[in-house]
């Protein structure tokens, strides 16, 4: 059961427009947000830096910004911030507007040293743009937090938070982060051992080379997951994003995680936003839900035909 399913349940039972908003944000469809609903729930919009982790130290936000993996180590982002005169321990939300513009410009300049020139025009849209806030919390991060708390088994609590328009307690956020951190460490160790393979997809008459890993989930893997020593499927939408922090993953190519389980293949995929901005690349035509981050299920026969052919 996904966060989308939970939102659908609340919408069906209570005809709740707030749950509709959260569902749209979860699926990445900000274009579905209605102005009247935004005003109704006091959701504000402002120009802001688009790095994730608005209330965490800036050096962490920059390190985990893998749309353009400028910094793969925290030490590098700390040094960068010190060089431009911004205290690394400050949060994004605590910066003045002038400091945000300075950070945007300096990050833009250093980004151009690692990406092809053809993408330069799109980089500013990744760094600075419109952000929505609910009770002074970034709406995307609010949804991400609710989804995280839901993943660790607190369905009732998350339903109450949505229905009552409340912010999660810090203790619940910390609990989820600890559990997620363990899954990330497990995944990173496995990713180092996985073979990165390739296949091609065709979108609007253009071929895109994709990278993927294939995971055959065993009964033992399921048992480990129950005891917190494995990786449950519900964490892979997050992990397919985090994978771009690994040097093995090309940050300018779509990345797929195929998990062979029972009679189906669970599919988790990510399209780099630079590709989306330049080419409009979407994976919805592959029967996957989402926008830039995708998920869904394929029949095993369909998957193996794609792999054997090497293209879709």
């Amino acid at each position: 059961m996904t966060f989308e399913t939970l939102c659908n349940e609340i919408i069906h039972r209570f005809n709740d427009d707030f749950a509709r908003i959260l569902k749209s944000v979860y699926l990445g469809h900000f274009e579905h947000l209605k102005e009247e609903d935004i005003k109704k729930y006091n959701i504000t919009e402002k120009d802001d830096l688009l790095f994730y982790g608005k209330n965490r130290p800036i050096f962490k936000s920059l390190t985990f910004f893998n749309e353009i993996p400028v910094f793969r180590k925290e030490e590098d982002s700390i040094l960068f911030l010190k060089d431009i005169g911004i205290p690394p321990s400050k949060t994004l939300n605590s910066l003045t507007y002038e400091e945000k513009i300075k950070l945007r410009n300096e990050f833009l300049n250093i980004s151009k040293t690692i990406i092809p020139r053809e993408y330069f025009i799109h980089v500013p849209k990744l760094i600075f743009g419109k952000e929505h806030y609910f009770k002074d919390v970034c709406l995307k991060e609010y949804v991400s937090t609710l989804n995280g708390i839901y993943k660790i088994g607190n369905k009732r609590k998350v339903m109450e938070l949505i229905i009552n328009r409340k912010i999660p307690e810090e203790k619940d956020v910390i609990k989820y982060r600890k559990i997620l951190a363990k899954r990330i460490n497990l995944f990173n160790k496995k990713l180092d051992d996985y073979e990165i393979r390739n296949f091609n997809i065709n979108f609007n008459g253009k071929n895109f080379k994709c990278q993927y890993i294939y995971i055959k989930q065993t009964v033992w893997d399921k048992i480990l997951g129950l005891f917190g020593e494995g990786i449950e499927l519900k964490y892979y939408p997050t992990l397919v994003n985090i994978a771009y922090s690994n040097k093995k993953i090309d940050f300018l190519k779509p990345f797929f995680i195929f998990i062979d389980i029972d009679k189906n293949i669970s599919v988790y995929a990510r399209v780099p936003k630079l590709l989306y901005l330049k080419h409009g690349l979407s994976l919805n035509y592959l029967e996957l839900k989402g926008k830039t981050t995708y998920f869904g299920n394929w029949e095993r026969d369909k998957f193996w035909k794609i792999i054997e052919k090497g293209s879709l």
Side-chain angles (χ1 to χ4, degrees), residues 66-277:
N66 55 22
E67 293 292 350
I68 307 174
V70 174
F71 309 111
R72 296 188 185 274
K73 296 180 180 178
E74 291 183 352
E75 294 86 347
D76 295 333
S77 62
I78 289 173
L79 183 61
F80 165 76
L81 289 165
K82 287 182 176 179
D83 285 344
I84 65 174
I86 294 178
S89 59
K90 291 187 74 172
T91 66
L92 289 166
N93 277 346
S94 70
L95 295 179
T96 64
Y97 187 77
E98 290 72 21
E99 286 176 319
K100 289 181 179 181
I101 296 300
K102 182 177 184 179
L103 178 55
R104 179 198 67 179
N105 292 340
E106 295 293 344
F107 191 87
L108 180 62
N109 290 335
I110 197 170
S111 295
K112 289 181 177 179
T113 65
I114 66 170
I115 63 172
R117 180 174 292 275
E118 63 188 285
Y119 290 101
F120 282 8
I121 191 174
H122 302 291
V123 176
K125 298 175 185 176
L126 292 182
I127 300 172
F128 206 85
K130 298 292 183 183
E131 282 280 36
H132 293 86
Y133 283 83
F134 173 68
K135 294 186 176 181
D136 296 324
V137 176
C138 174
L139 190 57
K140 287 186 294 189
E141 296 183 21
Y142 176 67
V143 170
S144 178
T145 300
L146 291 177
N147 184 33
I149 296 173
Y150 173 60
K151 284 179 181 177
I152 60 176
N154 290 328
K155 175 183 175 181
R156 182 175 179 180
K157 180 175 288 187
V158 174
M159 286 188 72
E160 290 175 352
L161 289 170
I162 294 173
I163 293 168
N164 296 310
R165 329 295 186 218
K166 290 187 176 181
I167 303 297
E169 295 181 11
E170 187 63 21
K171 64 178 183 179
D172 292 323
V173 178
I174 292 173
K175 182 179 179 181
Y176 166 66
R177 285 178 179 170
K178 287 182 178 179
I179 293 173
L180 178 61
K182 188 172 184 178
R183 302 304 187 278
I184 291 173
N185 288 334
L186 284 171
F187 178 73
N188 283 335
K189 289 177 182 178
K190 291 185 176 184
L191 188 58
D192 287 334
D193 297 328
Y194 286 134
E195 178 185 357
I196 308 299
R197 304 176 184 179
N198 297 284
F199 72 101
N200 295 316
I201 60 173
N202 186 283
F203 179 79
N204 287 344
K206 183 177 178 61
N207 283 318
F208 293 90
K209 189 174 183 179
C210 302
Q211 50 204 331
Y212 76 91
I213 58 174
Y214 167 77
I215 302 172
K216 174 65 176 177
Q217 191 174 65
T218 65
V219 174
W220 181 242
D221 290 326
K222 295 179 183 178
I223 294 173
L224 288 175
L226 293 174
F227 290 94
E229 298 300 325
I231 303 174
E232 304 94 309
L233 293 180
K234 59 189 175 184
Y235 290 102
Y236 278 100
T238 300
L239 297 175
V240 78
N241 284 282
I242 289 172
Y244 281 92
S245 296
N246 191 298
K247 291 182 179 180
K248 291 178 67 174
I249 306 301
D250 189 331
F251 74 96
L252 286 175
K253 294 178 182 176
F255 176 59
F256 288 73
I257 299 176
F258 296 117
I259 302 179
D260 195 335
I261 178 171
D262 299 326
K263 296 181 180 180
N264 293 317
I265 302 292
S266 290
V267 183
Y268 304 92
R270 172 76 177 176
V271 170
K273 288 183 181 177
L274 282 174
L275 284 185
Y276 171 74
L277 291 171

Side-chain angles (χ1 to χ4, degrees), residues 20-34:
R20 288 191 179 91
I21 292 174
L22 301 186
K23 174 185 172 181
S24 294
V25 173
Y26 171 71
L27 294 174
H29 295 304
F30 285 89
E31 69 276 9
H32 293 171
L33 300 184
K34 298 179 180 179

